[in-house]
Amino acid sequence: MHSQPVLSRIRTTCAQLPNLVFAVAAFLPFALLILLALGLLWGTGSARAETANTCNGTSLVKQLAASNPQKLAEARAAAAAAPNGRGLLWKIEKPGVAPSWLFGTMHVTDPRVTALPSAAQAAFDTAGTVVIETIDILDPVKAQAALLTKPELTMFTDGTTLNELLSADETKIIEAELARRGIPLALVSRMKPWMIAGLVALPACELARKADGVEFLDIKIANAASDQGKQLLGLESIGEQMAAMADLPMEFHIQGLVETIKLADLMPDIMATMVDLYLQGEISQIMPVILAAGPADMEQDASGYAAFEERIVTMRNHVMAERAAPILDAGNAFIAIGALHLPGKQGLVALLEDAGYTVSAVR
């Protein structure tokens, strides 16, 4: 009896794909890799009580502080070791060039996130050029048409089905979670695993806001730039972002799907954690805190994060730094990208410093 509503939701999701794929690539750690892949689909059988305006998650930081303060201290120590792990807004300077700005975003619709901090708003207001990861998301019809020329990025096109790639235990886990949401596995069995994971990953409140057409932060920034007549540029194409996902081994995608489903009931708390730490500018704390508070086997499972980090974060950091250079050399730019791209020895802040720019956090 769920077939027609499910098909309708899948069609809706596919129509929104260019906007939603953008959200995969820039903020979340591997255990949450799929969280923002396809943010409109959710099952009618969901038992969660969230609505479009209410998220019921509790920050894992608060939970750890009460239940295991030592683990929280260890997570914070690990985060402190990451270069440039604190702060959302960075000033970029070079002699003889007007300063520019680098701002870390989170690709969600939470109104606390979509309201720019005052310093970031001031930087945006003065900038003549605004840059986001990809401007393809602003023309969904065109972007969807481009993606349809490469269906192998999102679907099995060689006759393979997901069932053939799963163990009996994995099939049972995935089938049960999809059934809870009124989605027969057979209906989506030709989708790539990361696409299916997007059906179950986000908390209901975030899904509902997306379904209602609420803009996530990057879209809001881009539309404001267009409305104000600023030059709007992108650092990547949506095809490049999709290809980055497709480049990861199939075993990795299967692991990501299974882990995402195992974490389904924890997702509201994970989202609350990410939002709270993001708003505090504590970007490098996000993954250590989630690992510390997650299931006992989560840290072992997270060994695959290195592959994700290399292809989805690090390699793209280098591409974005290279493409940002001529924009920064022109000066007066506001570059807004997923906050996960900022920290670390190969994060954008460090790469721009290596390229000769002076980059300083704006507190």
Side-chain angles (χ1 to χ4, degrees):
M1 66 179 175
H2 291 298
S3 297
Q4 190 58 41
V6 168
L7 284 170
S8 176
R9 291 197 300 275
I10 290 175
R11 291 190 189 103
T12 300
T13 299
C14 291
Q16 297 293 328
L17 186 59
N19 281 0
L20 301 169
V21 161
F22 175 56
V24 174
F27 189 79
L28 302 178
F30 167 63
L32 314 167
L33 166 62
I34 314 299
L35 267 180
L36 299 178
L38 296 170
L40 288 181
L41 200 62
W42 70 97
T44 57
S46 174
R48 299 187 183 94
E50 293 128 347
T51 69
N53 298 312
T54 304
C55 293
N56 294 330
T58 301
S59 172
L60 297 173
V61 174
K62 296 177 181 177
Q63 295 181 37
L64 279 174
S67 65
N68 199 330
Q70 180 178 346
K71 266 200 166 185
L72 178 59
E74 291 170 355
R76 285 174 166 165
N84 310 313
R86 298 188 70 244
L88 296 177
L89 182 65
W90 301 76
K91 188 176 184 179
I92 306 171
E93 298 174 283
K94 189 175 185 179
V97 178
S100 292
W101 308 88
L102 177 65
F103 179 68
T105 65
M106 185 176 181
H107 307 325
V108 296
T109 60
D110 188 304
R112 295 171 297 166
V113 171
T114 59
L116 284 178
S118 57
Q121 185 65 59
F124 173 87
D125 290 341
T126 60
T129 298
V130 172
V131 184
I132 61 174
E133 288 178 30
T134 176
I135 57 174
D136 292 348
I137 56 173
L138 302 179
D139 188 345
V141 175
K142 183 178 178 181
Q144 184 183 2
L147 291 176
L148 289 176
T149 66
K150 294 185 177 181
E152 69 277 6
L153 294 180
T154 58
M155 307 289 289
F156 292 113
T157 57
D158 59 358
T160 299
T161 63
L162 180 64
N163 312 57
E164 299 169 11
L165 304 176
L166 300 173
S167 68
D169 287 343
E170 290 168 342
T171 299
K172 185 177 179 180
I173 290 170
I174 293 167
E175 205 163 26
E177 182 62 27
L178 290 176
R180 186 162 74 109
R181 297 163 184 272
I183 304 171
L185 177 58
L187 189 65
V188 295
S189 64
R190 293 192 183 277
M191 287 183 177
K192 291 292 179 71
W194 68 271
M195 297 278 288
I196 298 172
L199 311 183
V200 299
L202 278 176
C205 58
E206 180 67 21
L207 296 173
R209 286 193 295 255
K210 287 180 179 292
D212 288 342
V214 179
E215 297 174 344
F216 61 87
L217 178 56
D218 308 71
I219 293 282
K220 187 175 180 180
I221 288 171
N223 285 336
S226 295
D227 291 344
Q228 296 175 30
K230 300 177 186 290
Q231 182 183 29
L232 182 62
L233 301 173
L235 296 176
E236 301 175 301
S237 71
I238 199 167
E240 289 174 318
Q241 293 184 337
M242 294 287 286
M245 289 291 294
D247 283 350
L248 295 169
M250 184 54 62
E251 295 80 5
F252 179 89
H253 286 290
I254 295 294
Q255 180 187 6
L257 171 57
V258 173
E259 288 183 5
T260 300
I261 285 178
K262 286 180 178 179
L263 290 172
D265 290 333
L266 192 61
M267 287 303 177
D269 292 345
I270 288 173
M271 181 61 71
T273 305
M274 292 191 295
V275 170
D276 286 356
L277 289 174
Y278 171 83
L279 293 173
Q280 296 168 34
E282 297 288 356
I283 306 308
S284 63
Q285 281 193 35
I286 292 172
M287 186 61 173
V289 166
I290 291 171
L291 287 176
D297 62 348
M298 192 169 170
E299 291 192 46
Q300 179 179 351
D301 290 343
S303 61
Y305 177 58
F308 162 68
E309 186 175 34
E310 172 64 22
R311 183 63 186 94
I312 304 298
V313 182
T314 302
M315 289 177 63
R316 292 177 57 229
N317 286 352
H318 284 267
V319 170
M320 288 193 283
E322 180 179 341
R323 293 176 181 175
I327 300 170
L328 295 172
D329 288 344
N332 198 32
F334 182 87
I335 300 177
I337 61 167
L340 187 62
H341 291 289
L342 274 56
K345 294 180 180 179
Q346 297 192 71
L348 261 182
V349 173
L351 292 177
L352 292 176
E353 288 175 333
D354 291 344
Y357 300 95
T358 299
V359 187
S360 52
V362 179
R363 303 300 181 189

